[in-house]
Amino acid sequence: MTWKNKVKGRDYGQKRRARFQALGLCTRCGGEKQRFDRKSCDACLELYRSQEEARYLARLGRCSHCRTAPVEGRRLCDACRLKVNNQNNSWMTSINKIAKAAEALVLASEYVKRDLPAEEMLRARAQAAKSVRQLFRAVHEMQQRRGSFKKRAPATMRRAA
């Protein structure tokens, strides 16, 4: 990134925050604030607190997830790092499945639009129906995996051991 782009980005951010503050909105996300004496909404404050807590624990040499001592130079211990990597990999696998199913559905539906003999038309419609089922299955799988990310307790409920 060039110096000019950094300056433009900084200027944009300052103007954006000033505009949000003038409108009485959260200066981070632009959402509605819950308390008038704060600059940020509760969700942004909670996110900021959890980020600060992770930085603090990293400085102490503790894992930011389970609070045990991690390997030097990292924020997470080996067990937590594997867990997070597996969650991210499964999440990306779900996204890729959805993308492939959607692409197959588009191709099948374009093929159905053509003037085809009856036998080929039935085969094309069957392929389109199969693609729809794959897409729904992939979306459902992703929704189930989403729940596993929300199981972690908020930062305010976890305390250092």
Side-chain angles (χ1 to χ4, degrees), residues 93-157:
T93 301
S94 296
I95 290 173
N96 289 338
K97 282 183 182 177
I98 290 173
K100 286 180 183 178
E103 185 178 354
L105 178 61
V106 168
L107 289 173
S109 61
E110 286 178 0
Y111 196 70
V112 168
K113 290 178 186 176
R114 298 180 185 173
D115 275 337
L116 300 172
E119 187 178 305
E120 287 186 35
M121 180 60 78
L122 288 175
R123 204 173 324 134
R125 286 184 179 165
Q127 182 62 38
K130 180 181 174 185
S131 299
V132 168
R133 284 192 302 274
Q134 286 175 342
L135 182 62
F136 280 124
R137 193 176 304 125
V139 169
H140 180 70
E141 185 180 308
M142 184 179 213
Q143 287 173 340
Q144 286 181 332
R145 285 192 176 151
R146 235 174 111 190
S148 66
F149 287 101
K150 294 182 180 179
K151 288 180 184 173
R152 232 179 115 206
T156 56
M157 299 180 88

Side-chain angles (χ1 to χ4, degrees), residues 2 8 21 27 40 44 57 78 97 115 128-129 131 145 155:
T2 63
K8 282 183 181 179
Q21 189 172 5
T27 56
S40 298
C44 289
L57 289 171
D78 290 336
K97 282 183 182 177
D115 275 337
S131 299
R145 285 192 176 151

